[in-house]
Amino acid sequence: MNVAVLHDEVERLKAELAQTQEALAQSEEARRRLESIVSDFQREKFGARSEKLSIEQYHLPLEDVEIAQGVLDAAHEKAQQIIKGRSDAGASHRRNRGHLPAHLPRVERIIEPQSRLCPCGCGEMARIGEDVSERLDVVPAQLRVLVTRRPKYACRRCSGAVVQAHAPEHVVPGGLPTEALIAQVIVAKFGDHLPFYRQAEIYARQGIRLDRATLGNWAGRACFHLKPIADRMRQHLAAADRLFMDETTAPVLDPGRGKVRKGFFWAIASDDRGHAGQGPPIVLFHYAPGRNGEHAERFLQGFRGQFLQVDAYEGYDRLTRLERPQGPWRLIHCWAHLRRRFVKLARNTKSPIAEAAIRQIAALYAIEATVRGTAPQLRLAARREHSAPIIAALKPWFEKQLSMISSGSRLAEDIRYGLAHWEGLTRFLDDGRLELDTNPVENAIRPICLTRKNALFAGHEVGAENWALLSSLVATCKLNDVNPVAYIAETLDAIINGHPQSGVEDLMPWRFRKSSIPNP
């Protein structure tokens, strides 16, 4: 081998080494970036109170972690390709994160080798198999123009009447949108948390100029037509024996002052799936300018229920003193709220008493998991056999710990919180229909918080009421595994085209045809 060949080989190896070192450096930098983000996230979540993020911001550093992990994976894979060679680099990384749904259309492409002739000169090779991979692709949402023609007919022999089909009714008479587009706009805001101005930007990328006021007008018109649906949902809730209730803030612009004042969305929910009940899951939101218990009393006016599952907010206490034919409301308090107090304390102080309380509450939830979805009688029997002894031992244990610790400590405050609401916390032992917590309504109210975070505030109180109504329909659709876009589009079309008011029950979300695409 001559000197020139050796020199070329040395240069090639140097180039490969430099490339390898560069790839490894990129991988190391990505790793350091990921460690930095995780460290920041841990400090902001578990560090000093002044450094913590609000609970609604936790998803932001988590998204950064996921992006950084993707950079790290890509850098690592590139380094492996360079070190091991491209031919076998992909073999160890073949993976499919779950199965792609069968209902999605498949578009196949076949990648043939450059030549199918045998290198030995034997002729064309025979096909002996194939490798198949599936990847999720996307076709951007396609807007289209729906052209409606209404031919006119007249008799050629006389100058009599002209015949023409009536123009169909629309939510926006003479306007641009179909009911399907209006439904998409509503669900994008109240289900997917996209404010109108962001939606307008998305449509602008496809050459459609729509301002936020126009989109809001469309949603308002739909809200007018959908109000009978919400009224009927309220009648269903009024007939339920057991309800959940919770509230969350709703910033509303104060006209004339240019400032935002705090209102509240109140959520009333019914969900009997935990005890195999036949009633459909429903959630209905209401807006109120305050958080006083008088608003809860007003929203529950005419309701016939007996049990109300709530947190320990004192505003609900007035409901226990109401004079009703059914008697006052009986409050069932939430074990999840009590558990969160001890979890927070255990994280911050490593208190063994708090950790012991968490274990006892976890035992109650473990028992519940074994009977979830079964009949109330079975749930009640399991609770009396397994949960009641835990409850019987837990109260004196709380009282003993309280006598041994400082009365001014946070631990003492949390224990007193539990003992003060003991009657409401233990009522689940008397009725198999009751739940340990208010998670059904908290889960339903979470999208309201996300929409509020993105939209910042409602324009006025009427806007907040419309927000509550549309959010109620979208959330109830999701609870019933119904595609909310299809439901709202078809329901608007039915109402506009004269569906009788007496048949409003047929338009309830849970009666809508089930979507083949499950909601997340």
Side-chain angles (χ1 to χ4, degrees):
M1 184 178 295
N2 56 35
V3 176
V5 174
L6 288 175
H7 180 269
D8 291 342
E9 183 66 17
V10 169
E11 291 299 322
R12 186 184 66 79
L13 292 175
K14 285 182 178 180
E16 287 186 0
L17 177 61
Q19 194 176 15
T20 301
Q21 290 175 337
E22 180 183 358
L24 290 175
Q26 291 176 351
S27 178
E28 180 64 18
E29 176 62 27
R31 183 189 64 80
R32 284 196 296 268
R33 169 64 177 159
L34 179 61
E35 289 180 349
S36 174
I37 292 174
V38 172
S39 177
D40 290 344
F41 178 65
Q42 290 176 334
R43 183 180 66 254
E44 294 187 10
K45 185 173 183 180
F46 303 116
R49 187 178 185 87
S50 60
E51 297 180 356
K52 287 185 180 179
L53 288 171
S54 71
I55 190 65
E56 294 177 355
Q57 291 175 299
Y58 283 157
H59 66 285
L60 298 178
L62 283 174
E63 289 177 356
D64 283 345
V65 169
E66 292 157 356
I67 293 173
Q69 181 64 54
V71 174
L72 177 60
D73 290 344
H76 177 73
E77 290 167 3
K78 181 178 179 181
Q80 291 296 318
Q81 288 177 354
I82 294 172
I83 294 171
K84 297 183 178 180
R86 293 186 176 273
S87 61
D88 62 345
S92 62
H93 292 285
R94 285 195 197 115
R95 58 184 183 270
N96 186 4
R97 297 181 182 273
H99 298 286
L100 297 178
H103 71 269
L104 294 179
R106 261 63 176 176
V107 178
E108 293 192 358
R109 64 173 182 173
I110 300 175
I111 303 177
E112 296 282 3
Q114 292 183 349
S115 174
R116 290 187 291 179
L117 297 177
C118 178
C120 301
C122 304
E124 186 171 350
M125 292 183 287
R127 181 171 176 172
I128 59 173
E130 64 180 3
D131 289 333
V132 180
S133 64
E134 291 191 347
R135 297 186 301 158
L136 189 61
D137 194 19
V138 62
V139 177
Q142 182 181 14
L143 295 173
R144 64 182 185 179
V145 178
L146 183 60
V147 179
T148 301
R149 300 182 187 275
R150 294 185 298 124
K152 296 181 179 180
Y153 296 92
C155 179
R156 293 183 181 275
R157 298 183 178 86
C158 66
S159 57
V162 175
V163 177
Q164 184 183 33
H166 291 290
E169 299 290 338
H170 299 301
V171 171
V172 183
L176 288 176
T178 63
E179 284 62 46
L181 180 58
I182 295 174
Q184 177 61 44
V185 168
I186 290 172
V187 176
K189 176 169 182 177
F190 301 103
D192 302 329
H193 330 300
L194 278 175
F196 290 143
Y197 79 90
R198 293 186 185 173
Q199 294 188 54
E201 292 173 352
I202 293 172
Y203 289 121
R205 289 200 292 268
Q206 299 197 46
I208 308 297
R209 303 297 175 183
L210 298 170
D211 56 51
R212 60 192 302 175
T214 298
L215 299 179
N217 180 269
W218 294 353
R221 289 173 177 270
C223 192
F224 170 80
H225 293 290
L226 293 170
K227 191 176 184 302
I229 306 294
D231 292 340
R232 181 61 177 171
M233 287 167 54
R234 186 183 187 278
Q235 294 176 17
H236 278 275
L237 289 174
D241 289 330
R242 188 278 317 270
L243 294 170
F244 299 88
M245 198 168 188
D246 199 3
E247 74 289 331
T248 188
T249 57
V252 175
L253 189 63
D254 194 358
R257 297 179 58 204
K259 296 182 179 180
V260 174
R261 56 189 174 86
K262 184 184 292 186
F264 286 85
F265 282 129
W266 293 72
I268 307 173
S270 174
D271 192 341
D272 297 336
R273 292 174 294 181
H275 63 266
Q278 299 302 312
I282 307 170
V283 61
L284 195 62
F285 299 104
H286 295 281
Y287 170 77
R291 198 189 179 198
N292 296 333
E294 64 186 37
H295 298 298
E297 180 180 345
R298 174 165 58 89
F299 294 140
L300 294 174
Q301 188 71 34
F303 279 52
R304 300 187 294 274
Q306 296 178 326
F307 301 104
L308 189 65
Q309 301 217 219
V310 295
D311 57 24
Y313 170 51
E314 61 271 14
Y316 294 114
D317 293 343
R318 66 183 291 150
L319 301 176
T320 64
R321 301 186 293 271
L322 290 179
E323 294 184 2
R324 305 188 308 152
Q326 305 85 358
W329 286 96
R330 301 176 67 186
L331 302 185
I332 295 85
H333 290 117
C334 176
W335 280 95
H337 280 75
L338 179 61
R339 179 185 178 276
R340 287 171 199 157
R341 287 173 167 260
F342 290 120
V343 168
K344 185 176 182 180
L345 192 64
R347 286 174 176 171
N348 293 338
T349 66
K350 307 298 181 184
S351 166
I353 297 177
E355 291 176 353
I358 293 170
R359 288 194 294 271
Q360 294 301 313
I361 297 174
L364 295 177
Y365 274 95
I367 295 167
E368 286 300 302
T370 64
V371 292
R372 181 164 300 281
T374 61
Q377 298 85 349
L378 296 177
R379 283 158 58 96
L380 186 59
R383 289 170 177 177
R384 288 178 173 173
E385 181 179 359
H386 303 293
S387 301
I390 297 175
I391 296 294
L394 189 55
K395 184 177 182 181
W397 183 80
F398 272 148
E399 293 170 338
K400 179 180 178 182
Q401 303 306 319
L402 190 60
S403 67
M404 299 169 59
I405 61 177
S406 171
S407 61
S409 66
R410 181 60 184 271
L411 178 59
E413 179 184 338
D414 293 343
I415 292 177
R416 285 196 295 268
Y417 170 91
L419 293 175
H421 301 95
W422 198 252
E423 183 179 2
L425 288 169
T426 57
R427 279 204 170 111
F428 78 99
L429 296 175
D430 301 325
D431 196 315
R433 297 171 298 174
L434 306 180
E435 300 290 345
L436 261 68
D437 52 43
T438 59
N439 284 353
V441 71
E442 288 192 26
N443 292 336
I445 213 171
R446 189 169 293 118
I448 285 278
C449 301
L450 293 173
T451 302
R452 178 190 65 208
K453 179 179 182 296
N454 289 334
L456 300 182
F457 53 82
H460 45 73
E461 291 190 356
V462 175
E465 292 168 0
N466 293 335
W467 182 343
L469 188 152
L470 295 173
S471 294
S472 300
L473 294 179
V474 173
T476 301
C477 282
K478 292 183 177 182
L479 286 175
N480 288 274
D481 294 327
V482 166
N483 183 331
V485 176
Y487 167 75
I488 293 177
E490 295 191 23
T491 301
L492 282 174
D493 187 67
I495 293 173
I496 286 295
N497 285 284
H499 188 89
Q501 188 78 13
S502 59
V504 68
E505 179 67 24
D506 297 333
L507 300 180
M508 292 297 100
W510 52 89
R511 291 183 176 271
F512 187 71
R513 55 179 173 78
K514 296 296 182 180
S515 170
S516 60
I517 306 175
N519 290 293

